Amino acid sequence: MRMYYSRLKMASVLGVCLLGLLLCLPNGLRNPFPSMPWRQIHLGLDLRGGSYLLMQVDLQSLTHDRLQTLADSTREALLKSQLGYRNITTNAEAGTVSFTPRDPSETEADLAALNKLPRVVPNEFSVQKQDSGGIVLTLSPEALKARAREAVTQSIEIVRRRIDATGAVDPEITRQGDDRIVVELPGVSDPERIKTLLGTTAKMTFRLVDPNPAHATAASPGVSLLPMSSEGDGPPLPVYDHVDVDGTDLTNAGAVIDSQTGEWAVTFTFDSVGTHAFSTVTQANVGRRFAIVLDNKVIEAPVIRSPITGGNGQITGGFDAQKATDLALMLRAGALPAPLSVIEQHTIGPSLGADSIKAGMLSLAAGFMLVILFMALFYGRFGWYANIALLANLVLMVAILSLFEATLTLPGMAGMLLTLGMAVDANILINERIREEVARGRTPLAAMQAGFERATSTIVDSNATALLAHVMLFVFGTGPVRGFALTITIGIVTTLFTTLLLSRLLMVRWYARTRPTSLPV
Protein backbone atom coordinates (compact mmCIF):
# COMPACT_ATOMS: atom_id res chain seq x y z
CA MET A 1 0.00 0.00 0.00
CA ARG A 2 1.77 3.15 -1.23
CA MET A 3 1.64 6.27 0.93
CA TYR A 4 0.76 8.42 -2.06
CA TYR A 5 -2.46 10.10 -3.16
CA SER A 6 -3.02 11.49 -6.63
CA ARG A 7 -5.08 14.64 -6.96
CA LEU A 8 -7.97 12.66 -8.43
CA LYS A 9 -7.96 10.16 -5.56
CA MET A 10 -7.70 12.97 -3.01
CA ALA A 11 -10.58 14.85 -4.62
CA SER A 12 -12.67 11.66 -4.69
CA VAL A 13 -12.22 10.96 -0.97
CA LEU A 14 -12.94 14.56 0.04
CA GLY A 15 -15.86 14.70 -2.41
CA VAL A 16 -17.50 11.68 -0.80
CA CYS A 17 -17.13 13.29 2.63
CA LEU A 18 -18.61 16.60 1.43
CA LEU A 19 -21.49 14.78 -0.28
CA GLY A 20 -22.19 12.92 2.94
CA LEU A 21 -22.27 16.20 4.85
CA LEU A 22 -24.66 17.66 2.29
CA LEU A 23 -27.01 14.66 2.57
CA CYS A 24 -27.07 15.05 6.35
CA LEU A 25 -28.32 18.64 6.25
CA PRO A 26 -32.07 17.89 5.88
CA ASN A 27 -32.00 16.00 9.20
CA GLY A 28 -30.88 19.07 11.10
CA LEU A 29 -32.37 21.88 9.02
CA ARG A 30 -35.91 22.44 7.84
CA ASN A 31 -36.00 22.46 4.04
CA PRO A 32 -32.45 23.77 3.48
CA PHE A 33 -33.10 23.81 -0.26
CA PRO A 34 -36.87 23.55 -0.89
CA SER A 35 -36.44 22.99 -4.63
CA MET A 36 -34.28 19.88 -4.09
CA PRO A 37 -35.79 16.43 -3.36
CA TRP A 38 -33.90 15.90 -0.10
CA ARG A 39 -34.45 12.79 1.96
CA GLN A 40 -34.45 12.35 5.70
CA ILE A 41 -34.16 9.64 8.31
CA HIS A 42 -37.53 8.58 9.70
CA LEU A 43 -37.88 8.02 13.42
CA GLY A 44 -39.21 4.66 14.55
CA LEU A 45 -42.06 3.97 16.92
CA ASP A 46 -39.86 4.00 20.02
CA LEU A 47 -38.44 7.45 19.15
CA ARG A 48 -41.30 9.26 17.48
CA GLY A 49 -44.19 7.76 19.38
CA GLY A 50 -47.19 6.16 17.71
CA SER A 51 -49.26 3.00 17.82
CA TYR A 52 -48.50 -0.69 18.04
CA LEU A 53 -51.13 -3.21 16.93
CA LEU A 54 -50.92 -6.98 17.20
CA MET A 55 -53.54 -8.55 14.94
CA GLN A 56 -54.62 -12.15 14.54
CA VAL A 57 -55.89 -13.76 11.35
CA ASP A 58 -59.10 -15.75 11.83
CA LEU A 59 -57.97 -18.97 10.19
CA GLN A 60 -61.21 -20.73 11.16
CA SER A 61 -63.13 -18.53 8.76
CA LEU A 62 -60.84 -19.71 5.94
CA THR A 63 -62.03 -23.25 6.50
CA HIS A 64 -65.65 -22.08 6.66
CA ASP A 65 -65.36 -20.13 3.39
CA ARG A 66 -63.64 -22.98 1.58
CA LEU A 67 -66.28 -25.44 2.76
CA GLN A 68 -69.02 -23.08 1.59
CA THR A 69 -67.39 -22.83 -1.83
CA LEU A 70 -66.94 -26.59 -1.93
CA ALA A 71 -70.61 -27.08 -1.06
CA ASP A 72 -71.64 -24.74 -3.90
CA SER A 73 -69.34 -26.60 -6.30
CA THR A 74 -70.87 -29.89 -5.15
CA ARG A 75 -74.40 -28.66 -5.89
CA GLU A 76 -73.41 -27.37 -9.32
CA ALA A 77 -71.52 -30.57 -10.25
CA LEU A 78 -74.43 -32.80 -9.23
CA LEU A 79 -77.09 -30.72 -10.97
CA LYS A 80 -74.94 -30.47 -14.10
CA SER A 81 -74.77 -34.27 -14.16
CA GLN A 82 -78.55 -34.43 -13.53
CA LEU A 83 -77.99 -36.00 -10.13
CA GLY A 84 -79.96 -35.12 -7.03
CA TYR A 85 -78.97 -34.68 -3.37
CA ARG A 86 -80.50 -34.26 0.05
CA ASN A 87 -79.40 -32.57 3.28
CA ILE A 88 -76.10 -31.08 2.15
CA THR A 89 -74.27 -29.74 5.23
CA THR A 90 -70.84 -28.41 6.19
CA ASN A 91 -68.82 -29.02 9.37
CA ALA A 92 -66.04 -26.46 9.90
CA GLU A 93 -64.50 -28.33 12.85
CA ALA A 94 -64.15 -31.57 10.90
CA GLY A 95 -63.53 -29.81 7.57
CA THR A 96 -66.20 -31.78 5.74
CA VAL A 97 -69.08 -31.36 3.31
CA SER A 98 -71.61 -34.19 3.43
CA PHE A 99 -74.91 -35.04 1.75
CA THR A 100 -77.21 -37.95 1.01
CA PRO A 101 -77.70 -39.08 -2.61
CA ARG A 102 -81.21 -38.75 -4.01
CA ASP A 103 -81.21 -42.40 -4.83
CA PRO A 104 -78.74 -45.09 -3.63
CA SER A 105 -78.33 -46.20 -7.23
CA GLU A 106 -76.79 -42.81 -8.05
CA THR A 107 -73.98 -43.13 -5.46
CA GLU A 108 -71.29 -44.24 -7.91
CA ALA A 109 -72.29 -41.53 -10.39
CA ASP A 110 -72.13 -38.96 -7.56
CA LEU A 111 -68.63 -40.10 -6.62
CA ALA A 112 -67.47 -39.95 -10.24
CA ALA A 113 -68.87 -36.42 -10.70
CA LEU A 114 -67.35 -35.10 -7.46
CA ASN A 115 -63.92 -36.61 -8.12
CA LYS A 116 -63.76 -34.39 -11.21
CA LEU A 117 -64.06 -31.21 -9.10
CA PRO A 118 -60.97 -28.98 -9.45
CA ARG A 119 -58.51 -28.89 -6.55
CA VAL A 120 -56.81 -25.62 -5.53
CA VAL A 121 -53.75 -27.69 -4.53
CA PRO A 122 -53.05 -31.38 -5.23
CA ASN A 123 -54.98 -33.72 -2.96
CA GLU A 124 -56.86 -30.81 -1.44
CA PHE A 125 -59.83 -32.97 -0.49
CA SER A 126 -61.01 -36.54 -0.72
CA VAL A 127 -64.44 -37.94 -1.69
CA GLN A 128 -65.65 -41.01 0.19
CA LYS A 129 -68.79 -43.07 0.64
CA GLN A 130 -70.00 -43.49 4.22
CA ASP A 131 -71.39 -46.66 5.75
CA SER A 132 -74.73 -44.88 6.21
CA GLY A 133 -74.98 -44.38 2.46
CA GLY A 134 -74.02 -40.70 2.47
CA ILE A 135 -71.09 -39.07 0.72
CA VAL A 136 -68.52 -36.85 2.47
CA LEU A 137 -65.86 -34.52 1.05
CA THR A 138 -63.00 -33.98 3.53
CA LEU A 139 -60.39 -31.22 3.30
CA SER A 140 -56.84 -32.47 3.97
CA PRO A 141 -54.92 -30.93 6.94
CA GLU A 142 -51.94 -30.21 4.68
CA ALA A 143 -54.11 -28.20 2.30
CA LEU A 144 -55.58 -26.23 5.20
CA LYS A 145 -52.11 -25.42 6.55
CA ALA A 146 -50.90 -24.31 3.11
CA ARG A 147 -53.97 -22.11 2.71
CA ALA A 148 -53.38 -20.61 6.17
CA ARG A 149 -49.77 -19.70 5.32
CA GLU A 150 -50.86 -18.17 2.03
CA ALA A 151 -53.65 -16.24 3.76
CA VAL A 152 -51.30 -14.64 6.31
CA THR A 153 -48.84 -13.63 3.57
CA GLN A 154 -51.68 -12.21 1.48
CA SER A 155 -53.09 -10.39 4.52
CA ILE A 156 -49.75 -8.68 5.16
CA GLU A 157 -49.65 -7.36 1.60
CA ILE A 158 -53.26 -6.12 1.72
CA VAL A 159 -52.68 -4.50 5.13
CA ARG A 160 -49.64 -2.74 3.70
CA ARG A 161 -51.62 -1.42 0.72
CA ARG A 162 -54.42 -0.15 2.94
CA ILE A 163 -52.08 1.60 5.36
CA ASP A 164 -50.02 3.15 2.56
CA ALA A 165 -53.22 4.58 1.07
CA THR A 166 -53.93 6.44 4.33
CA GLY A 167 -50.64 8.36 4.08
CA ALA A 168 -49.06 6.84 7.20
CA VAL A 169 -45.29 7.47 7.12
CA ASP A 170 -43.00 4.44 7.17
CA PRO A 171 -45.24 1.82 8.83
CA GLU A 172 -43.61 -1.40 9.95
CA ILE A 173 -45.64 -4.53 9.13
CA THR A 174 -44.19 -7.92 10.08
CA ARG A 175 -45.33 -11.47 10.62
CA GLN A 176 -45.33 -13.01 14.09
CA GLY A 177 -45.89 -16.72 14.51
CA ASP A 178 -48.29 -18.64 12.29
CA ASP A 179 -51.32 -16.37 12.36
CA ARG A 180 -50.36 -12.96 13.75
CA ILE A 181 -49.32 -9.66 12.17
CA VAL A 182 -47.55 -6.80 13.96
CA VAL A 183 -48.33 -3.28 12.73
CA GLU A 184 -46.24 -0.33 14.00
CA LEU A 185 -47.41 3.15 13.03
CA PRO A 186 -44.94 5.90 13.98
CA GLY A 187 -46.61 9.26 14.54
CA VAL A 188 -50.15 7.80 14.65
CA SER A 189 -51.40 8.43 18.19
CA ASP A 190 -55.08 7.66 17.44
CA PRO A 191 -55.24 4.45 15.41
CA GLU A 192 -59.02 4.02 15.44
CA ARG A 193 -59.44 4.68 11.72
CA ILE A 194 -56.54 2.33 10.94
CA LYS A 195 -58.11 -0.35 13.16
CA THR A 196 -61.41 0.03 11.30
CA LEU A 197 -59.69 -0.27 7.93
CA LEU A 198 -57.72 -3.32 8.96
CA GLY A 199 -60.54 -4.95 10.89
CA THR A 200 -62.87 -4.81 7.89
CA THR A 201 -62.46 -7.79 5.61
CA ALA A 202 -64.03 -5.86 2.68
CA LYS A 203 -65.17 -9.04 0.97
CA MET A 204 -67.77 -7.85 -1.51
CA THR A 205 -70.10 -10.16 -3.39
CA PHE A 206 -73.14 -9.70 -5.58
CA ARG A 207 -75.97 -12.20 -5.04
CA LEU A 208 -79.61 -12.57 -6.00
CA VAL A 209 -82.31 -12.15 -3.38
CA ASP A 210 -84.68 -15.09 -2.86
CA PRO A 211 -88.12 -13.86 -4.01
CA ASN A 212 -90.06 -16.47 -1.96
CA PRO A 213 -91.83 -14.55 0.88
CA ALA A 214 -91.82 -17.68 3.04
CA HIS A 215 -88.02 -17.58 3.17
CA ALA A 216 -87.95 -14.06 4.65
CA THR A 217 -88.27 -15.52 8.15
CA ALA A 218 -86.98 -19.07 7.71
CA ALA A 219 -84.20 -19.52 5.18
CA SER A 220 -84.15 -22.62 3.01
CA PRO A 221 -80.97 -24.60 2.17
CA GLY A 222 -78.67 -22.48 0.03
CA VAL A 223 -80.20 -19.24 1.33
CA SER A 224 -78.98 -17.05 4.21
CA LEU A 225 -80.76 -14.30 6.10
CA LEU A 226 -78.31 -11.38 5.97
CA PRO A 227 -78.79 -8.17 7.96
CA MET A 228 -78.72 -4.73 6.39
CA SER A 229 -75.53 -2.75 6.93
CA SER A 230 -77.41 0.26 8.34
CA GLU A 231 -79.68 -0.12 11.34
CA GLY A 232 -83.34 0.63 10.74
CA ASP A 233 -83.22 -0.37 7.06
CA GLY A 234 -85.62 -3.26 7.58
CA PRO A 235 -85.51 -6.96 8.43
CA PRO A 236 -82.82 -9.34 7.17
CA LEU A 237 -82.98 -10.29 3.52
CA PRO A 238 -83.03 -13.90 2.24
CA VAL A 239 -79.96 -13.92 -0.03
CA TYR A 240 -78.74 -16.90 -2.03
CA ASP A 241 -75.39 -18.30 -0.85
CA HIS A 242 -74.30 -18.70 -4.45
CA VAL A 243 -72.06 -15.79 -5.49
CA ASP A 244 -73.06 -14.50 -8.91
CA VAL A 245 -70.30 -11.88 -9.16
CA ASP A 246 -67.20 -11.76 -6.93
CA GLY A 247 -65.67 -8.51 -5.70
CA THR A 248 -62.21 -9.87 -6.52
CA ASP A 249 -63.03 -9.04 -10.15
CA LEU A 250 -63.05 -5.30 -9.35
CA THR A 251 -60.27 -3.28 -10.94
CA ASN A 252 -61.00 0.15 -9.50
CA ALA A 253 -63.22 1.95 -7.01
CA GLY A 254 -63.64 5.58 -6.03
CA ALA A 255 -65.71 7.87 -3.81
CA VAL A 256 -67.93 10.36 -5.67
CA ILE A 257 -70.96 12.56 -5.04
CA ASP A 258 -74.10 11.32 -6.80
CA SER A 259 -75.19 14.01 -9.26
CA GLN A 260 -78.88 13.15 -8.77
CA THR A 261 -79.16 12.81 -4.99
CA GLY A 262 -76.15 14.84 -3.86
CA GLU A 263 -75.12 11.98 -1.55
CA TRP A 264 -71.78 10.24 -1.35
CA ALA A 265 -71.49 7.01 -3.32
CA VAL A 266 -68.83 4.51 -4.35
CA THR A 267 -68.29 3.74 -8.02
CA PHE A 268 -66.65 0.51 -9.16
CA THR A 269 -65.32 -1.03 -12.35
CA PHE A 270 -65.02 -4.73 -13.21
CA ASP A 271 -62.38 -6.51 -15.24
CA SER A 272 -63.39 -8.58 -18.28
CA VAL A 273 -64.36 -11.61 -16.17
CA GLY A 274 -66.48 -9.54 -13.80
CA THR A 275 -68.04 -7.57 -16.65
CA HIS A 276 -69.13 -10.77 -18.39
CA ALA A 277 -70.55 -12.27 -15.18
CA PHE A 278 -72.35 -9.04 -14.23
CA SER A 279 -73.82 -8.71 -17.72
CA THR A 280 -74.97 -12.33 -17.78
CA VAL A 281 -76.72 -12.26 -14.41
CA THR A 282 -78.44 -8.91 -15.01
CA GLN A 283 -79.67 -9.99 -18.45
CA ALA A 284 -81.20 -13.19 -17.05
CA ASN A 285 -82.79 -11.64 -13.96
CA VAL A 286 -84.44 -8.37 -14.99
CA GLY A 287 -87.05 -7.42 -12.39
CA ARG A 288 -85.37 -9.29 -9.51
CA ARG A 289 -83.51 -7.81 -6.56
CA PHE A 290 -79.73 -8.01 -6.66
CA ALA A 291 -77.98 -7.68 -3.28
CA ILE A 292 -74.61 -6.02 -2.84
CA VAL A 293 -73.11 -7.81 0.17
CA LEU A 294 -70.10 -6.53 2.11
CA ASP A 295 -68.78 -8.80 4.88
CA ASN A 296 -72.09 -10.65 5.13
CA LYS A 297 -74.11 -7.45 5.44
CA VAL A 298 -76.32 -6.12 2.67
CA ILE A 299 -75.37 -2.58 1.67
CA GLU A 300 -78.30 -2.30 -0.72
CA ALA A 301 -80.49 -4.59 -2.83
CA PRO A 302 -81.78 -2.69 -5.85
CA VAL A 303 -84.09 -4.15 -8.47
CA ILE A 304 -82.46 -4.95 -11.82
CA ARG A 305 -84.32 -2.58 -14.18
CA SER A 306 -82.33 -3.44 -17.30
CA PRO A 307 -79.20 -5.42 -18.23
CA ILE A 308 -75.93 -3.79 -17.15
CA THR A 309 -73.29 -4.58 -19.72
CA GLY A 310 -70.72 -1.81 -19.28
CA GLY A 311 -68.85 -3.29 -16.32
CA ASN A 312 -69.44 -0.18 -14.20
CA GLY A 313 -71.68 0.34 -11.19
CA GLN A 314 -72.38 2.54 -8.21
CA ILE A 315 -73.12 1.78 -4.58
CA THR A 316 -75.21 4.12 -2.43
CA GLY A 317 -75.91 3.41 1.20
CA GLY A 318 -76.06 6.56 3.26
CA PHE A 319 -72.30 7.11 3.15
CA ASP A 320 -70.55 10.20 4.41
CA ALA A 321 -67.30 11.37 2.81
CA GLN A 322 -65.05 9.37 5.16
CA LYS A 323 -67.00 6.11 4.87
CA ALA A 324 -67.19 6.35 1.08
CA THR A 325 -63.45 7.07 0.84
CA ASP A 326 -62.54 4.21 3.18
CA LEU A 327 -64.79 1.72 1.38
CA ALA A 328 -63.30 2.68 -1.99
CA LEU A 329 -59.81 2.37 -0.49
CA MET A 330 -60.54 -1.13 0.82
CA LEU A 331 -62.05 -2.27 -2.46
CA ARG A 332 -58.99 -1.03 -4.37
CA ALA A 333 -56.59 -2.70 -1.93
CA GLY A 334 -58.49 -5.98 -2.14
CA ALA A 335 -60.40 -8.08 0.34
CA LEU A 336 -58.64 -9.77 3.21
CA PRO A 337 -58.72 -13.57 2.87
CA ALA A 338 -59.87 -13.78 6.50
CA PRO A 339 -60.96 -11.32 9.22
CA LEU A 340 -58.32 -9.63 11.38
CA SER A 341 -58.85 -8.92 15.06
CA VAL A 342 -56.77 -6.67 17.32
CA ILE A 343 -55.56 -8.71 20.28
CA GLU A 344 -53.02 -6.22 21.63
CA GLN A 345 -52.61 -2.48 21.30
CA HIS A 346 -50.13 0.03 22.70
CA THR A 347 -49.84 3.76 22.18
CA ILE A 348 -46.50 5.47 22.78
CA GLY A 349 -46.83 9.18 23.39
CA PRO A 350 -44.56 11.76 21.73
CA SER A 351 -43.14 12.73 25.12
CA LEU A 352 -41.86 9.20 25.71
CA GLY A 353 -40.37 9.18 22.23
CA ALA A 354 -38.69 12.53 22.90
CA ASP A 355 -37.21 11.13 26.11
CA SER A 356 -35.87 8.17 24.16
CA ILE A 357 -34.29 10.47 21.58
CA LYS A 358 -32.74 12.58 24.33
CA ALA A 359 -31.34 9.54 26.13
CA GLY A 360 -30.07 8.02 22.88
CA MET A 361 -28.41 11.23 21.72
CA LEU A 362 -26.88 11.75 25.15
CA SER A 363 -25.39 8.24 25.17
CA LEU A 364 -24.13 8.69 21.59
CA ALA A 365 -22.56 12.07 22.38
CA ALA A 366 -21.00 10.84 25.63
CA GLY A 367 -19.55 7.76 23.97
CA PHE A 368 -18.25 9.83 21.05
CA MET A 369 -16.56 12.39 23.33
CA LEU A 370 -14.91 9.69 25.45
CA VAL A 371 -13.55 8.01 22.33
CA ILE A 372 -12.17 11.32 21.02
CA LEU A 373 -10.53 12.04 24.36
CA PHE A 374 -8.99 8.58 24.50
CA MET A 375 -7.54 8.80 20.98
CA ALA A 376 -6.16 12.29 21.54
CA LEU A 377 -4.43 11.34 24.81
CA PHE A 378 -2.93 8.06 23.63
CA TYR A 379 -1.97 8.82 20.04
CA GLY A 380 -1.45 12.58 19.81
CA ARG A 381 -1.68 14.05 16.31
CA PHE A 382 -2.49 10.70 14.72
CA GLY A 383 -5.19 10.29 17.32
CA TRP A 384 -6.77 13.58 16.20
CA TYR A 385 -6.64 12.38 12.59
CA ALA A 386 -8.44 9.24 13.74
CA ASN A 387 -11.03 11.47 15.45
CA ILE A 388 -11.63 13.39 12.23
CA ALA A 389 -12.11 10.09 10.41
CA LEU A 390 -14.47 9.00 13.18
CA LEU A 391 -16.58 12.14 12.77
CA ALA A 392 -16.65 11.61 9.01
CA ASN A 393 -17.72 8.02 9.66
CA LEU A 394 -20.72 9.22 11.67
CA VAL A 395 -21.63 11.76 8.99
CA LEU A 396 -21.48 9.15 6.22
CA MET A 397 -23.62 6.72 8.23
CA VAL A 398 -26.32 9.36 8.70
CA ALA A 399 -26.02 10.33 5.03
CA ILE A 400 -26.58 6.77 3.78
CA LEU A 401 -29.48 6.24 6.19
CA SER A 402 -30.99 9.49 4.91
CA LEU A 403 -30.47 8.49 1.28
CA PHE A 404 -32.47 5.29 1.81
CA GLU A 405 -34.97 7.05 4.09
CA ALA A 406 -34.29 4.41 6.73
CA THR A 407 -36.16 4.22 10.01
CA LEU A 408 -34.02 4.96 13.06
CA THR A 409 -34.92 3.15 16.28
CA LEU A 410 -33.21 2.78 19.65
CA PRO A 411 -31.48 -0.42 18.50
CA GLY A 412 -30.34 1.54 15.45
CA MET A 413 -28.81 4.22 17.66
CA ALA A 414 -27.09 1.47 19.65
CA GLY A 415 -25.76 0.13 16.35
CA MET A 416 -24.30 3.56 15.51
CA LEU A 417 -22.49 3.71 18.84
CA LEU A 418 -21.17 0.18 18.39
CA THR A 419 -19.96 1.10 14.90
CA LEU A 420 -17.96 3.99 16.31
CA GLY A 421 -16.34 1.56 18.74
CA MET A 422 -15.45 -0.77 15.88
CA ALA A 423 -14.01 2.14 13.90
CA VAL A 424 -11.85 3.12 16.90
CA ASP A 425 -10.54 -0.44 17.07
CA ALA A 426 -9.39 -0.17 13.45
CA ASN A 427 -7.62 3.14 14.05
CA ILE A 428 -5.99 1.80 17.22
CA LEU A 429 -4.74 -1.20 15.29
CA ILE A 430 -3.16 1.04 12.64
CA ASN A 431 -1.51 3.34 15.19
CA GLU A 432 -0.15 0.43 17.22
CA ARG A 433 1.32 -1.13 14.10
CA ILE A 434 3.00 2.19 13.26
CA ARG A 435 4.39 2.35 16.80
CA GLU A 436 5.86 -1.13 16.41
CA GLU A 437 7.53 -0.15 13.15
CA VAL A 438 8.97 3.00 14.73
CA ALA A 439 10.32 0.90 17.61
CA ARG A 440 12.08 -1.31 15.07
CA GLY A 441 13.98 1.70 13.79
CA ARG A 442 12.18 2.33 10.51
CA THR A 443 12.05 5.79 9.00
CA PRO A 444 8.78 7.75 9.47
CA LEU A 445 7.51 7.10 5.91
CA ALA A 446 8.49 3.42 6.01
CA ALA A 447 6.87 3.03 9.44
CA MET A 448 3.61 4.58 8.24
CA GLN A 449 3.56 2.44 5.10
CA ALA A 450 4.39 -0.80 6.93
CA GLY A 451 1.87 -0.01 9.69
CA PHE A 452 -0.97 0.41 7.22
CA GLU A 453 0.05 -2.66 5.22
CA ARG A 454 0.14 -4.90 8.30
CA ALA A 455 -3.12 -3.58 9.71
CA THR A 456 -5.17 -3.50 6.50
CA SER A 457 -5.61 -7.24 6.02
CA THR A 458 -6.63 -7.69 9.66
CA ILE A 459 -9.12 -4.81 9.47
CA VAL A 460 -10.64 -6.05 6.21
CA ASP A 461 -10.93 -9.66 7.44
CA SER A 462 -12.57 -8.76 10.75
CA ASN A 463 -15.00 -6.31 9.16
CA ALA A 464 -15.87 -8.73 6.35
CA THR A 465 -16.90 -11.45 8.81
CA ALA A 466 -18.89 -8.92 10.85
CA LEU A 467 -20.55 -7.70 7.63
CA LEU A 468 -21.66 -11.20 6.67
CA ALA A 469 -23.07 -11.85 10.14
CA HIS A 470 -25.10 -8.63 10.16
CA VAL A 471 -26.34 -9.15 6.61
CA MET A 472 -27.78 -12.47 7.78
CA LEU A 473 -29.35 -10.70 10.77
CA PHE A 474 -30.98 -8.23 8.39
CA VAL A 475 -32.23 -10.94 6.01
CA PHE A 476 -33.68 -13.26 8.64
CA GLY A 477 -34.40 -10.84 11.48
CA THR A 478 -37.49 -8.74 12.10
CA GLY A 479 -38.31 -5.38 13.62
CA PRO A 480 -35.60 -3.96 15.94
CA VAL A 481 -33.11 -6.68 14.95
CA ARG A 482 -33.22 -5.57 11.31
CA GLY A 483 -32.77 -1.92 12.30
CA PHE A 484 -29.72 -2.79 14.37
CA ALA A 485 -28.27 -4.98 11.61
CA LEU A 486 -28.85 -2.33 8.93
CA THR A 487 -27.03 0.33 10.95
CA ILE A 488 -24.07 -1.94 11.65
CA THR A 489 -23.86 -3.06 8.01
CA ILE A 490 -23.74 0.53 6.76
CA GLY A 491 -21.30 1.41 9.55
CA ILE A 492 -18.88 -1.33 8.51
CA VAL A 493 -18.73 0.03 4.96
CA THR A 494 -18.18 3.62 6.12
CA THR A 495 -15.59 2.42 8.66
CA LEU A 496 -13.49 0.79 5.94
CA PHE A 497 -13.69 3.96 3.86
CA THR A 498 -12.78 6.44 6.60
CA THR A 499 -10.13 4.25 8.24
CA LEU A 500 -8.25 3.02 5.18
CA LEU A 501 -8.69 6.07 2.95
CA LEU A 502 -9.52 9.24 4.87
CA SER A 503 -7.25 8.80 7.92
CA ARG A 504 -4.38 7.72 5.62
CA LEU A 505 -5.01 10.79 3.45
CA LEU A 506 -4.70 13.06 6.47
CA MET A 507 -1.44 11.40 7.53
CA VAL A 508 0.01 11.52 4.00
CA ARG A 509 -0.81 15.21 3.56
CA TRP A 510 0.71 16.04 6.94
CA TYR A 511 3.88 14.10 6.09
CA ALA A 512 4.18 15.68 2.62
CA ARG A 513 3.85 19.15 4.13
CA THR A 514 6.19 18.81 7.16
CA ARG A 515 8.64 15.98 6.30
CA PRO A 516 9.12 15.11 10.02
CA THR A 517 12.11 13.22 11.37
CA SER A 518 9.92 11.40 13.91
CA LEU A 519 6.26 10.43 14.14
CA PRO A 520 3.88 11.87 16.81
CA VAL A 521 2.44 8.53 17.77
Side-chain angles (χ1 to χ4, degrees):
M1 180 180 292
R2 297 180 59 193
M3 301 300 290
Y4 169 76
Y5 272 75
S6 66
R7 291 185 177 181
L8 178 60
K9 189 175 181 180
M10 188 186 312
S12 300
V13 173
L14 295 179
V16 170
C17 295
L18 290 176
L19 179 62
L21 183 60
L22 193 61
L23 291 174
C24 286
L25 289 179
N27 295 289
L29 302 176
R30 292 186 177 179
N31 295 327
F33 304 101
S35 60
M36 299 293 290
W38 295 108
R39 300 185 177 186
Q40 293 178 303
I41 294 176
H42 297 301
L43 298 181
L45 185 66
D46 50 1
L47 298 179
R48 187 180 177 186
S51 298
Y52 169 94
L53 300 174
L54 178 60
M55 312 192 78
Q56 188 171 34
V57 181
D58 184 6
L59 298 181
Q60 190 67 26
S61 69
L62 286 175
T63 304
H64 178 271
D65 292 345
R66 181 61 185 122
L67 289 175
Q68 190 63 53
T69 304
L70 190 57
D72 291 341
S73 300
T74 299
R75 292 189 186 95
E76 292 179 4
L78 294 176
L79 294 176
K80 185 177 180 180
S81 301
Q82 297 181 350
L83 300 170
Y85 59 87
R86 289 182 291 139
N87 302 325
I88 185 167
T89 59
T90 61
N91 187 331
E93 293 183 359
T96 60
V97 175
S98 58
F99 68 95
T100 303
R102 178 179 56 187
D103 190 291
S105 63
E106 296 179 347
T107 300
E108 294 301 324
D110 289 341
L111 293 174
L114 295 179
N115 277 317
K116 294 178 182 179
L117 288 176
R119 271 74 167 170
V120 177
V121 295
N123 302 319
E124 181 190 12
F125 60 85
S126 60
V127 183
Q128 296 176 333
K129 178 184 176 182
Q130 295 178 308
D131 295 337
S132 60
I135 295 178
V136 60
L137 292 81
T138 306
L139 293 174
S140 69
E142 293 76 15
L144 291 175
K145 290 179 181 178
R147 179 69 181 113
R149 290 192 298 269
E150 179 185 350
V152 175
T153 302
Q154 184 180 357
S155 296
I156 291 175
E157 181 60 30
I158 293 173
V159 165
R160 188 181 306 279
R161 290 203 297 263
R162 290 186 182 183
I163 291 178
D164 288 345
T166 66
V169 178
D170 204 42
E172 184 73 21
I173 304 167
T174 55
R175 182 173 186 158
Q176 185 180 89
D178 294 331
D179 61 350
R180 295 183 178 184
I181 299 173
V182 175
V183 180
E184 295 183 0
L185 304 169
V188 179
S189 58
D190 184 13
E192 291 306 316
R193 183 191 174 204
I194 301 293
K195 286 171 59 179
T196 301
L197 288 175
L198 301 185
T200 303
T201 308
K203 184 176 182 179
M204 178 173 285
T205 56
F206 298 80
R207 315 183 208 171
L208 289 170
V209 176
D210 188 347
N212 191 337
H215 296 162
T217 55
S220 63
V223 176
S224 298
L225 291 175
L226 300 183
M228 304 298 292
S229 60
S230 300
E231 296 181 1
D233 282 355
L237 285 178
V239 179
Y240 286 108
D241 293 335
H242 175 73
V243 175
D244 294 287
V245 185
D246 199 321
T248 56
D249 296 326
L250 291 173
T251 59
N252 195 17
V256 298
I257 296 179
D258 192 309
S259 59
Q260 296 181 353
T261 64
E263 296 180 349
W264 281 94
V266 176
T267 60
F268 57 87
T269 305
F270 285 110
D271 59 14
S272 58
V273 175
T275 299
H276 176 72
F278 204 75
S279 174
T280 302
V281 71
T282 54
Q283 284 178 350
N285 296 278
V286 174
R288 296 184 59 181
R289 299 183 70 183
F290 199 34
I292 302 173
V293 181
L294 179 68
D295 294 343
N296 289 323
K297 289 184 178 181
V298 179
I299 298 179
E300 59 177 340
V303 176
I304 301 174
R305 301 297 182 187
S306 60
I308 303 173
T309 59
N312 299 311
Q314 180 172 290
I315 306 170
T316 58
F319 300 120
D320 57 21
Q322 188 67 65
K323 289 182 179 179
T325 301
D326 288 347
L327 177 57
L329 182 156
M330 289 184 289
L331 294 178
R332 288 195 304 270
L336 289 167
L340 288 175
S341 58
V342 178
I343 61 176
E344 186 178 344
Q345 175 182 343
H346 301 301
T347 300
I348 300 176
S351 59
L352 181 60
D355 292 341
S356 299
I357 295 176
K358 182 178 179 181
M361 294 301 295
L362 181 62
S363 62
L364 187 62
F368 190 73
M369 293 305 297
L370 288 175
V371 167
I372 287 178
L373 183 62
F374 172 85
M375 295 299 293
L377 290 177
F378 278 79
Y379 298 105
R381 177 182 289 273
F382 282 6
W384 282 110
Y385 291 158
N387 290 335
I388 294 174
L390 201 62
L391 180 61
N393 191 3
L394 182 61
V395 169
L396 290 175
M397 286 177 61
V398 175
I400 295 176
L401 290 172
S402 301
L403 186 63
F404 290 103
E405 295 186 319
T407 300
L408 183 63
T409 60
L410 283 175
M413 296 185 73
M416 295 177 72
L417 187 57
L418 179 59
T419 298
L420 295 180
M422 295 168 62
V424 168
D425 289 343
N427 282 283
I428 289 175
L429 187 60
I430 291 173
N431 287 327
E432 286 297 328
R433 289 289 184 266
I434 293 176
R435 274 184 176 177
E436 292 176 1
E437 298 304 322
V438 170
R440 291 177 181 178
R442 288 181 180 266
T443 62
L445 182 59
M448 291 169 58
Q449 183 167 335
F452 268 97
E453 287 178 349
R454 293 182 59 192
T456 296
S457 60
T458 303
I459 293 172
V460 171
D461 288 347
S462 61
N463 280 277
T465 54
L467 179 66
L468 291 175
H470 287 91
V471 167
M472 292 300 102
L473 274 180
F474 181 81
V475 171
F476 297 107
T478 58
V481 174
R482 295 191 70 185
F484 176 80
L486 176 63
T487 308
I488 294 289
T489 301
I490 294 174
I492 290 173
V493 176
T494 56
T495 294
L496 292 175
F497 174 82
T498 55
T499 301
L500 300 180
L501 294 178
L502 181 59
S503 61
R504 188 159 64 98
L505 170 64
L506 296 174
M507 292 181 185
V508 167
R509 295 308 302 163
W510 167 78
Y511 180 85
R513 187 177 64 255
T514 60
R515 298 290 179 176
T517 56
S518 62
L519 296 178
V521 65

